[in-house]
Amino acid sequence: MLRLSAAERAHLYVLAGLNPPVARGSAAEVTAEIRALIDGWVRGPAVVRDRYWNILAFNVLAGRVFGCDDGEPHNCLVTFFTSPRYRGLPDLWADAAPGVVAAYRADAALVPRDDEFQRVASELAAAEPAFAELWERHDVGAPLQAVNALHHPEAGDLYFDATTLTIADHPHWSLVLYNPKPNTDTADRLAALPRLRLSESA
C-alpha cells in the first residue's frame, strides 16, 4: 500500500495520464483561519460554500444581506430561485438565472457519479418551474463575473460584484467575496443597516 496523501495520489493519476478522482463531500470543519478571513472582509458579505453550493460559513453581513442567519441550512442555488430578495428584482434575476444554472451544471459535470448534485437539482425542479425549465436545457458554462443583485427588506436594492476563489486546502470549497458595485449606493445602504458586530460569523 502506497499510503499517499491526497495531493500525491492526484499527482500519480496525472502522471498516469488519468483524471484524478475528485474528493467527495464537505466533511471537514471550517477552520478558525477561514472564519477569521471571512470576518475580516468588512466591505460586504462573504461566504464559504461546498461543491454543492451549500453555505458552510458566512460573515455577519452575509447573514443579514442574504437572510442566511436564521439557523437553517442554506444552498446558494436554491436561495437564488426561492428567495424573495433575489426575485424582488425580476429583470436582473431573469438575466442572471441561465448563467447560474449553467455554472451549477458545470460543477456537477466534474463528478458525474455524485448523486448529491442531482438530488439538489431534482428537489428544486419539483418546487420551481423556472429552474426546471433552465435545468432541462443542459447548458454548461463557467461562472460569469456578473452583478449579484437583490432587494433587501431593510436596505432596499443592493448590487455586488462577486468574486469566487478556490480554497487551496479544500479544493471542493469556494470562498465568495461580495464587493459593493461601484456607482451604486450599495455601500451607503449597507452602512445604514443597524450596527453589526463583525466578529460573529456562522
Side-chain angles (χ1 to χ4, degrees):
M1 190 169 187
L2 295 177
R3 297 182 181 178
L4 301 176
S5 69
E8 291 168 337
R9 188 177 303 108
H11 184 61
L12 184 62
Y13 271 83
V14 172
L15 290 176
L18 302 171
N19 290 324
V22 182
R24 295 172 60 91
S26 55
E29 292 291 326
V30 175
T31 64
E33 291 80 7
I34 294 175
R35 290 185 180 277
L37 178 62
I38 62 175
D39 284 340
W41 183 254
V42 296
R43 296 176 60 87
V47 304
V48 176
R49 71 185 191 195
D50 68 12
R51 68 153 41 102
Y52 313 111
W53 296 18
N54 297 312
I55 293 180
L56 304 177
F58 53 90
N59 67 0
V60 172
L61 272 176
R64 291 293 306 279
V65 168
F66 302 132
C68 53
D69 56 358
D70 57 6
E72 297 294 326
H74 281 265
N75 178 282
C76 294
L77 178 70
V78 174
T79 298
F80 181 81
F81 277 87
T82 61
S83 172
R85 300 185 187 206
Y86 281 103
R87 303 298 288 262
L89 296 175
D91 291 340
L92 290 174
W93 182 89
D95 287 342
V100 170
V101 175
Y104 190 79
R105 188 176 282 282
D107 283 354
L110 295 174
V111 278
R113 288 183 289 274
D114 191 330
D115 294 335
E116 181 63 13
F117 282 103
Q118 190 59 46
R119 185 195 67 78
V120 172
S122 295
E123 290 184 2
L124 183 56
E128 286 295 326
F131 173 77
E133 179 181 348
L134 291 171
W135 188 248
E136 285 302 313
R137 294 184 189 179
H138 294 273
D139 293 339
V140 177
L144 301 176
Q145 188 71 30
V147 177
N148 192 293
L150 69 155
H151 180 79
H152 189 273
E154 297 173 71
D157 295 348
L158 301 174
Y159 304 88
F160 299 98
D161 290 319
T163 300
T164 302
L165 307 171
T166 299
I167 298 175
D169 291 347
H170 300 281
H172 52 286
W173 290 0
S174 296
L175 169 65
V176 188
L177 303 174
Y178 297 85
N179 200 38
K181 183 75 176 171
N183 302 317
T184 71
D185 59 358
T186 297
D188 293 335
R189 289 176 180 269
L190 289 178
L193 283 170
R195 189 173 182 84
L196 302 173
R197 290 177 291 174
L198 296 179
S199 62
E200 298 178 357
S201 67

